[in-house]
Amino acid sequence: MADVEEKTQTPAGTQEEELNPDGTPLSDNQKKKRAKAAEKERAKAEKAAKLQQEKATKEANEVDFASQNYGELPLNQSQERHGRTYASLEEVKAENDGKPIYFSARIQTSRTPSSKFVFLTLRYGFHCVQAVLAQAPEQVSKQMTKWAAQLPSETIVQVEGTVSKVAKAIESSTVTAKDAEVKLSKIFVVSKVQPSVPQPFYVDDATRSDAEIEASQSTDRPMPGIPIDLRLDNRILDLRTTTNQAIFRIQHGVSKLFREYLENRDFVELHTPKLQGAATESGASVFKVSYFKGSAFLAQSPQLAKQMAIAADFGKVYEIGPVFRAEDSNTPRHMTEFTGLDLEVAIEEHYHEVLELLGNLFSFLFQELPKRYAREIAIVRKQFPSEDFLVPDQVVKLEFPQAVKMLREAGQEMGDYDDLSTEQERVLGRLVREKYQTDFFMLDKFPTAIRPFYTMPDPKNPNYSNSYDFFMRGQEIMSGAQRVHDADLLEKRMGEVNIPVEAMKEYVEGFRLGCPPHAGGGIGLERVVMFYLGLGNIRRASMFPRDPKRLAP
Amino acid sequence: MADVEEKTQTPAGTQEEELNPDGTPLSDNQKKKRAKAAEKERAKAEKAAKLQQEKATKEANEVDFASQNYGELPLNQSQERHGRTYASLEEVKAENDGKPIYFSARIQTSRTPSSKFVFLTLRYGFHCVQAVLAQAPEQVSKQMTKWAAQLPSETIVQVEGTVSKVAKAIESSTVTAKDAEVKLSKIFVVSKVQPSVPQPFYVDDATRSDAEIEASQSTDRPMPGIPIDLRLDNRILDLRTTTNQAIFRIQHGVSKLFREYLENRDFVELHTPKLQGAATESGASVFKVSYFKGSAFLAQSPQLAKQMAIAADFGKVYEIGPVFRAEDSNTPRHMTEFTGLDLEVAIEEHYHEVLELLGNLFSFLFQELPKRYAREIAIVRKQFPSEDFLVPDQVVKLEFPQAVKMLREAGQEMGDYDDLSTEQERVLGRLVREKYQTDFFMLDKFPTAIRPFYTMPDPKNPNYSNSYDFFMRGQEIMSGAQRVHDADLLEKRMGEVNIPVEAMKEYVEGFRLGCPPHAGGGIGLERVVMFYLGLGNIRRASMFPRDPKRLAP
């Protein structure tokens, strides 16, 4: 406003001679008339200014009858405890029409169509509701609406009001409560946001689907798309979207169901060390740590430790924890740190005991997720549309040679013992989906040459091994196998692939004092979430993702 | 035995002249008599040797009627699947008298009082049973008992037999099934142990209490004590003791109960990154990691990440995961990597909401542990005797100045705002136990000076803070506080303790876009287990412990 005013005001002391439109000077009469008109204008403006000032003074002196109903609370240092019950935003629904409600939430958006009303959308967790603050005698003053209207997005407020059924479903795509809103009577700031603090993007914008953003481009209100890097650079803000709130509750659901299934079968949960004395498994892709005067290495998986737990007679074990990969892979499905869901089981007769357990575990997961997380899945799909995840009652299991045959018939060239490329995995996923109507399948009997040294060879054909991968929507989410549990065979295999036995002495020696035959697998938690929800990038399934270029926040 | 034989044999070629007892030489007659007797002896020995050899040849040629009932199974490569049901060793109990049983287990000890019997103790998990293999027509041959008798400890066998009630309780302290044993009819080796492989100690010995070892020293069968370092160097073997099997099931129980309590209260489980871009919290005691062309640091706790999750509106969060401390502390209660049970909660009014939740969580833990893990606790106590863990119905909460007063009255010298030494913690624990009959208490209101910069000061007296520690048997197992949720106050506090804001930019900025007031805490899982069970050394509560001197196995 200051800029505009300066331009329309005539700078003092530089008064120019006025001229007629044809360029001739004004007559004295003309000058007198002009001066009189100017004087009249000045007097009018002076009067208006005086009225304005009187009004302001009056307003300032006016007792604000609502002053107890709004304002900024002091910084919460636990000064007092009233023990009042706070509601969840879920309670804002038509069936609670007329019910008083009291809760804390963030301001997502604010709109002031007239000085008499403020429309807010209030968000917490994966709920977002519409709220109205309207001037009302003895309750909501004009000072109060004016104050509320200037609160920036992301301000945390404590509000009091009444749930109110709405006649017509609320249209906004980012509001989750469609059939009711809140009529506000009190509003206090719990945690303020300075209007001067730049907001890299608005949570409301960050909640929209690509399709909605795309469609808005041809309207008079085009919506901004928020690039993933800007989101991740400001992850705390980004995580506040109802979509992200739902994604991480579903992520929690996946590990919870994994755990529930195993706990019901008497598995023991392990916490094995991430700091290792030697770079094991494979020499490459291990992070090195300065360890006092020496070095340590970060575990690439709990593989060796969970096998040692089997050699130590724990029988059925699992671990949920971080795994580290020092691979310079900058792809949508790789991270340098992710969450492994690992398990290992002593078998009695055959590794298919474990393969079946794993298949049943995933069946359980795919059965329970849509039941227990229906609301969360629906919220994620508003931003990331995906088809229902297809799983038949009977889990599909193929053997590697069958997959090679299917791929060759589909025009892919590959050797009998070649590993699948990412592209071939996708093609295979499509072929299996067409043939068996499933987005999930198990692939058994991988070639020995493309599996780690500790993989048990097939008893009949040593070119194949007792190993398997699981796939979701055509991408690998789990790898597993029967392991070599005999120290001599293990040493022989290590020799064949040039791994010095000395570096893994304790591991090999552990087997020398007897070890039950065993099999297991490792699941990438974020991959399961990513493919289940069709998020397109694994970083969206990790709260604070790490990749070769990202170590913060 | 070789040594003994050598000593009793007369070395060849050094035959000495025989003399009469009085030293005079033998007469010719005497010599003849002697020669005759010697010849007779030789002929007798020759005959015996011949008989022995004939017997051996006969045995070797003899058809072993039991040959199908024992032997070494081929390496399990999942050749076959019979789908047979394997029993748990729990089923060896008097009420199953006469029941056939089929299971896998380790040989813990083996004893052969006569060639007709082999007594074995068989162990798996935290069960150890007595088994007898006795010669019997058509079932158990003498070849079979002889073969079974030479199987080394730790051999894994698959056995078939019958549960058999015993008349008198089995005495051995390491056998857990007291009222029944197994009469074996078949025994096969699943995983062999070469007799030539040295065993650093026997699991049977490693299962005994200090008291039992001590008492045995004055008997004719003194038992060896197994030092903790020898155990940890051979941890796989050590973990096989019934005691360790029970300890890690109880450890699992602690994290399971922690999780159960929080899951029932809608907490969201986090998996936050252990790789950090900057050395945060405190500059010292952080492990540095080579990260591609730069560096990263291992998280000392999920403190910052879980607070960021609160700033991102997750409301109630927890994490169970590894935490890393680069402290060169070589004490019985420090490790460089341990398991943190962390939680953080957005509060509505007062941090005591969280303090109470934590108090109730521990009450739940102490109530449920002895109920759900009674057998495991009993097994641990056989080796590590400890008193029942004392907790009153109402959790005891003291304030810091009260603790200072109690300590001063007990003769301890300390300033008002000094931290408690380990010794003072122990004394306080003893005083509190005497006064309140509790092994667990909460200490609230720690001095601000001895808490981290992000701790919220008390609203009335800034020398104290809204922070607390929890103690078990007089030792700290949890630390927590209300945190500063205001960016300006946080920057001010960081300035006061000389932490550069730049290093924690995302963390501070996260609060600038509003953050709910919140409080939380971090529990050391292994400490809870160690103090609850009275294990005396935290390494006994960690499966594969890490300290400044130990990175393996």
Side-chain angles (χ1 to χ4, degrees):
Chain A
M1 283 303 286
D3 280 352
V4 177
E5 277 180 61
E6 272 176 44
K7 278 183 194 155
T8 54
Q9 272 175 353
T10 307
T14 60
Q15 202 161 356
E16 280 176 47
E17 182 86 352
E18 273 189 275
L19 300 174
N20 276 319
D22 61 1
T24 57
L26 298 182
S27 67
D28 283 358
N29 199 25
Q30 275 182 317
K31 283 184 184 169
K32 264 184 206 158
K33 265 191 180 165
R34 296 271 168 120
K36 204 172 164 187
E39 172 56 23
K40 205 172 161 186
E41 199 63 34
R42 197 199 52 75
K44 195 176 153 189
E46 198 172 73
K47 196 178 166 191
K50 201 177 160 196
L51 276 171
Q52 183 66 36
Q53 205 190 337
E54 277 170 9
K55 196 183 162 195
T57 311
K58 196 179 150 202
E59 267 182 21
N61 292 336
E62 200 169 37
V63 174
D64 179 359
F65 60 81
S67 62
Q68 297 302 307
N69 297 337
Y70 69 99
E72 198 175 299
L73 298 174
L75 178 73
N76 183 325
Q77 289 186 259
S78 301
Q79 288 87 340
E80 287 176 296
R81 199 168 176 193
H82 305 101
R84 194 162 178 184
T85 306
Y86 292 73
S88 157
L89 268 68
E90 292 182 69
E91 294 182 30
V92 180
K93 51 187 171 187
E95 64 182 272
N96 285 335
D97 186 42
K99 203 173 155 183
I101 192 165
Y102 183 51
F103 60 87
S104 307
R106 298 251 182 205
I107 294 178
Q108 176 149 310
T109 61
S110 165
R111 193 162 56 84
T112 316
S114 97
S115 65
K116 290 195 159 44
F117 297 97
V118 186
F119 285 98
L120 300 171
T121 58
L122 298 176
R123 184 197 69 239
Y124 196 70
F126 56 86
H127 303 289
C128 185
V129 305
Q130 184 170 282
V132 194
L133 183 70
Q135 284 182 28
E138 288 174 46
Q139 185 64 42
V140 179
S141 63
K142 57 190 166 202
Q143 293 95 325
M144 185 170 169
T145 53
K146 198 175 163 188
W147 174 85
Q150 54 77 45
L151 295 174
S153 288
E154 300 311 306
T155 302
I156 302 179
V157 290
Q158 240 173 40
V159 299
E160 206 172 306
T162 313
V163 176
S164 177
K165 200 163 88 175
V166 289
K168 211 180 122 210
I170 292 166
E171 272 181 23
S172 160
S173 69
T174 54
V175 168
T176 56
K178 296 295 188 188
D179 60 2
E181 62 180 13
V182 184
K183 293 203 185 304
L184 298 174
S185 52
K186 293 185 182 178
I187 177 166
F188 297 97
V189 169
V190 174
S191 179
K192 66 174 181 292
V193 174
Q194 297 292 359
S196 59
V197 171
Q199 301 207 7
F201 52 81
Y202 291 106
V203 170
D204 201 59
D205 290 331
T207 311
R208 300 184 191 278
S209 69
D210 284 349
E212 196 180 353
I213 294 165
E214 183 66 29
S216 77
Q217 301 308 314
S218 54
T219 70
D220 56 347
R221 290 183 61 195
M223 295 166 179
I226 321 288
I228 191 162
D229 275 331
L230 184 63
R231 289 173 184 267
L232 296 178
D233 288 344
N234 300 280
R235 187 60 162 164
I236 297 176
L237 191 61
D238 184 43
L239 286 172
R240 292 179 190 164
T241 63
T242 45
T243 312
N244 274 328
Q245 293 288 320
I247 287 174
F248 290 97
R249 280 170 175 86
I250 295 165
Q251 193 213 54
H252 177 197
V254 173
S255 56
K256 189 172 173 160
L257 290 166
F258 172 84
R259 198 184 279 123
E260 190 175 313
Y261 191 84
L262 300 180
E263 297 269 348
N264 286 337
R265 280 152 188 84
D266 285 331
F267 275 66
V268 177
E269 186 179 11
L270 307 182
H271 302 286
T272 66
K274 306 310 154 202
L275 291 168
Q276 300 289 340
T280 49
E281 284 198 68
S282 75
S285 65
V286 182
F287 288 114
K288 193 173 177 180
V289 181
S290 296
Y291 198 77
F292 302 102
K293 284 167 187 162
S295 296
F297 301 89
L298 291 179
Q300 285 171 286
S301 81
Q303 182 61 32
L304 309 187
K306 68 184 177 167
Q307 285 192 258
M308 290 195 286
I310 293 295
D313 294 349
F314 284 94
K316 297 190 264 188
V317 298
Y318 79 92
E319 176 160 11
I320 298 183
V323 301
F324 304 92
R325 302 282 163 93
E327 288 163 17
D328 199 0
S329 300
N330 295 277
T331 81
R333 63 175 202 172
H334 286 93
M335 295 193 292
T336 50
E337 179 176 351
F338 62 89
T339 309
L341 309 181
D342 270 274
L343 61 83
E344 204 70 28
V345 186
I347 60 177
E348 291 291 4
E349 300 182 331
H350 201 288
Y351 76 99
H352 281 177
E353 296 160 23
V354 179
L355 191 65
E356 283 166 15
L357 177 131
L358 283 164
N360 293 338
L361 189 160
F362 275 96
S363 283
F364 174 72
L365 181 70
F366 298 137
Q367 205 165 49
E368 293 300 314
L369 269 182
K371 273 192 217 159
R372 301 196 199 175
Y373 296 89
R375 283 187 312 179
E376 288 86 344
I377 292 169
I379 286 168
V380 175
R381 284 193 180 154
K382 287 202 303 179
Q383 185 167 3
F384 297 103
S386 65
E387 286 180 56
D388 273 347
F389 194 85
L390 219 56
V391 253
D393 288 341
Q394 182 62 41
V395 173
V396 173
K397 189 186 83 180
L398 301 177
E399 296 204 348
F400 198 83
Q402 280 177 276
V404 171
K405 189 163 170 276
M406 285 170 79
L407 283 167
R408 283 180 185 157
E409 284 170 4
Q412 295 282 326
E413 282 179 26
M414 69 181 295
D416 282 352
Y417 309 129
D418 287 353
D419 207 352
L420 302 173
S421 66
T422 306
E423 174 55 19
Q424 285 167 338
E425 282 183 10
R426 284 210 189 89
V427 173
L428 183 63
R430 213 184 53 229
L431 297 171
V432 172
R433 191 180 212 266
E434 280 162 15
K435 190 163 175 185
Y436 302 97
Q437 280 74 54
T438 184
D439 281 316
F440 172 75
F441 70 96
M442 316 192 285
L443 186 57
D444 194 13
K445 294 279 158 214
F446 272 68
T448 305
I450 57 171
R451 304 298 275 199
F453 69 89
Y454 48 75
T455 307
M456 182 63 87
D458 178 88
K460 293 190 196 99
N461 183 348
N463 289 324
Y464 291 101
S465 63
N466 294 347
S467 68
Y468 38 83
D469 276 6
F470 288 8
F471 294 85
M472 283 173 66
R473 302 203 202 257
Q475 303 214 56
E476 185 251 309
I477 49 103
M478 201 207 76
S479 217
Q482 182 182 352
R483 328 293 185 178
V484 176
H485 62 282
D486 179 81
D488 293 336
L489 180 55
L490 201 60
E491 282 200 350
K492 184 169 160 267
R493 293 283 296 130
M494 289 172 85
E496 283 165 10
V497 296
N498 295 316
I499 294 179
V501 174
E502 194 48 41
M504 305 176 74
K505 200 168 159 283
E506 285 93 356
Y507 172 71
V508 178
E509 289 310 306
F511 296 139
R512 217 169 280 291
L513 287 178
C515 181
H518 58 286
I523 301 162
L525 171 62
E526 294 85 356
R527 283 202 180 180
V528 173
V529 175
M530 168 195 183
F531 297 128
Y532 187 80
L533 295 172
L535 300 180
N537 192 318
I538 197 163
R539 291 161 186 79
R540 291 202 180 95
S542 171
M543 196 169 269
F544 300 108
R546 294 292 183 255
D547 64 34
K549 288 166 185 153
R550 180 173 295 282
L551 272 170
Chain B
M1 281 304 285
D3 280 353
V4 178
E5 278 179 59
E6 274 176 44
K7 277 182 196 155
T8 54
Q9 273 176 353
T10 308
T14 61
Q15 201 161 1
E16 281 175 47
E17 182 85 352
E18 273 188 280
L19 299 174
N20 277 319
D22 61 1
T24 57
L26 297 183
S27 68
D28 282 355
N29 199 25
Q30 274 183 315
K31 282 186 185 170
K32 265 187 202 153
K33 266 192 180 166
R34 295 275 168 120
K36 206 173 166 188
E39 174 53 27
K40 206 173 164 185
E41 198 64 33
R42 198 199 50 80
K44 194 175 156 193
E46 199 171 72
K47 197 179 167 191
K50 201 178 161 196
L51 275 172
Q52 182 68 34
Q53 207 191 336
E54 276 171 8
K55 193 182 165 197
T57 311
K58 195 179 153 205
E59 265 181 22
N61 293 334
E62 200 169 36
V63 175
D64 179 1
F65 60 81
S67 64
Q68 297 302 307
N69 297 338
Y70 69 99
E72 198 175 300
L73 297 175
L75 178 72
N76 184 324
Q77 290 185 258
S78 302
Q79 289 86 337
E80 287 176 296
R81 200 169 175 193
H82 305 101
R84 196 164 177 182
T85 307
Y86 293 74
S88 157
L89 269 67
E90 292 183 68
E91 295 182 30
V92 181
K93 51 187 172 187
E95 64 182 272
N96 286 336
D97 187 40
K99 201 174 156 183
I101 191 166
Y102 183 50
F103 60 88
S104 307
R106 298 250 182 206
I107 295 178
Q108 175 151 312
T109 61
S110 165
R111 194 161 56 86
T112 315
S114 98
S115 65
K116 289 195 161 42
F117 298 97
V118 185
F119 284 98
L120 300 171
T121 57
L122 297 176
R123 182 196 71 238
Y124 196 70
F126 55 86
H127 303 288
C128 186
V129 304
Q130 185 170 282
V132 195
L133 182 71
Q135 284 181 28
E138 287 173 46
Q139 184 66 41
V140 179
S141 63
K142 57 190 166 200
Q143 294 95 324
M144 186 171 167
T145 52
K146 198 175 161 189
W147 173 86
Q150 54 76 45
L151 295 174
S153 288
E154 300 312 306
T155 302
I156 302 180
V157 291
Q158 241 173 40
V159 299
E160 207 172 304
T162 312
V163 176
S164 178
K165 202 163 85 174
V166 290
K168 207 178 126 215
I170 293 166
E171 271 181 24
S172 161
S173 69
T174 55
V175 168
T176 55
K178 296 295 187 188
D179 59 2
E181 62 180 12
V182 183
K183 293 203 184 303
L184 297 175
S185 52
K186 293 186 181 178
I187 177 165
F188 297 96
V189 169
V190 174
S191 180
K192 66 175 183 291
V193 174
Q194 298 291 359
S196 58
V197 171
Q199 301 206 11
F201 52 81
Y202 292 107
V203 171
D204 201 60
D205 290 332
T207 312
R208 302 185 190 278
S209 69
D210 284 350
E212 195 179 354
I213 295 165
E214 183 68 28
S216 77
Q217 300 309 313
S218 55
T219 70
D220 56 349
R221 291 183 59 195
M223 295 167 180
I226 322 288
I228 190 161
D229 275 328
L230 184 63
R231 290 174 184 267
L232 295 178
D233 288 343
N234 301 279
R235 187 60 161 164
I236 297 176
L237 191 62
D238 184 42
L239 286 172
R240 292 179 190 164
T241 63
T242 45
T243 313
N244 275 327
Q245 293 288 320
I247 287 175
F248 290 96
R249 281 171 175 83
I250 295 165
Q251 192 213 56
H252 177 196
V254 173
S255 56
K256 190 172 173 159
L257 290 165
F258 173 83
R259 198 182 279 123
E260 188 175 315
Y261 191 85
L262 300 179
E263 296 269 349
N264 286 337
R265 280 150 190 83
D266 285 332
F267 274 67
V268 177
E269 185 180 12
L270 306 182
H271 302 286
T272 67
K274 306 308 155 204
L275 290 167
Q276 300 289 342
T280 48
E281 285 196 67
S282 76
S285 65
V286 182
F287 288 114
K288 193 173 176 179
V289 182
S290 297
Y291 197 78
F292 302 101
K293 284 167 186 163
S295 295
F297 301 89
L298 291 180
Q300 284 171 286
S301 82
Q303 181 62 31
L304 308 187
K306 68 184 177 167
Q307 284 192 259
M308 290 196 284
I310 293 295
D313 293 350
F314 284 93
K316 297 191 264 189
V317 298
Y318 80 90
E319 177 160 10
I320 299 184
V323 301
F324 304 92
R325 302 284 163 92
E327 288 162 17
D328 199 1
S329 301
N330 294 279
T331 81
R333 64 174 200 169
H334 286 92
M335 295 191 293
T336 50
E337 179 176 351
F338 62 90
T339 308
L341 308 180
D342 270 274
L343 61 84
E344 203 70 30
V345 186
I347 59 177
E348 291 291 2
E349 299 181 333
H350 200 288
Y351 76 99
H352 281 176
E353 295 161 24
V354 179
L355 191 65
E356 283 167 14
L357 177 130
L358 284 164
N360 293 337
L361 188 160
F362 275 96
S363 282
F364 173 71
L365 181 70
F366 298 136
Q367 206 165 49
E368 293 300 315
L369 269 183
K371 271 192 219 160
R372 301 196 200 176
Y373 295 89
R375 284 187 311 179
E376 288 87 345
I377 292 168
I379 286 168
V380 175
R381 282 192 181 153
K382 287 202 305 180
Q383 184 167 3
F384 298 103
S386 64
E387 286 181 55
D388 272 347
F389 194 85
L390 217 56
V391 251
D393 288 341
Q394 182 64 40
V395 173
V396 172
K397 190 185 83 181
L398 301 177
E399 296 204 347
F400 197 84
Q402 281 176 276
V404 172
K405 188 163 171 277
M406 285 170 78
L407 283 166
R408 282 181 184 154
E409 284 169 5
Q412 295 282 324
E413 281 179 27
M414 68 181 296
D416 283 350
Y417 310 127
D418 287 355
D419 206 352
L420 302 173
S421 67
T422 306
E423 174 54 20
Q424 284 167 338
E425 282 183 10
R426 283 210 190 88
V427 173
L428 182 64
R430 212 183 54 229
L431 297 171
V432 172
R433 191 179 211 268
E434 280 162 14
K435 191 163 174 185
Y436 302 98
Q437 280 74 53
T438 184
D439 281 316
F440 172 75
F441 69 97
M442 315 193 285
L443 186 57
D444 194 14
K445 293 278 156 218
F446 272 70
T448 305
I450 58 170
R451 303 299 274 201
F453 70 89
Y454 48 75
T455 308
M456 183 63 87
D458 178 88
K460 293 189 195 97
N461 183 348
N463 289 325
Y464 291 102
S465 63
N466 294 346
S467 68
Y468 38 83
D469 275 5
F470 288 9
F471 294 85
M472 282 173 66
R473 302 204 202 256
Q475 302 213 56
E476 186 250 310
I477 48 105
M478 201 206 75
S479 215
Q482 181 182 355
R483 328 294 185 177
V484 175
H485 62 281
D486 179 83
D488 292 337
L489 180 55
L490 201 59
E491 280 200 350
K492 183 169 161 268
R493 293 283 295 128
M494 288 172 87
E496 283 165 11
V497 295
N498 295 316
I499 293 180
V501 174
E502 193 50 38
M504 305 177 74
K505 200 168 159 280
E506 285 93 356
Y507 171 71
V508 178
E509 289 310 307
F511 295 140
R512 217 169 280 291
L513 288 179
C515 181
H518 59 285
I523 301 161
L525 171 62
E526 293 85 355
R527 283 202 179 179
V528 173
V529 174
M530 167 196 182
F531 297 129
Y532 187 80
L533 295 173
L535 299 181
N537 192 318
I538 196 163
R539 289 160 187 79
R540 291 202 180 94
S542 171
M543 195 169 271
F544 300 108
R546 295 292 182 255
D547 64 33
K549 288 166 186 154
R550 181 173 295 282
L551 272 171

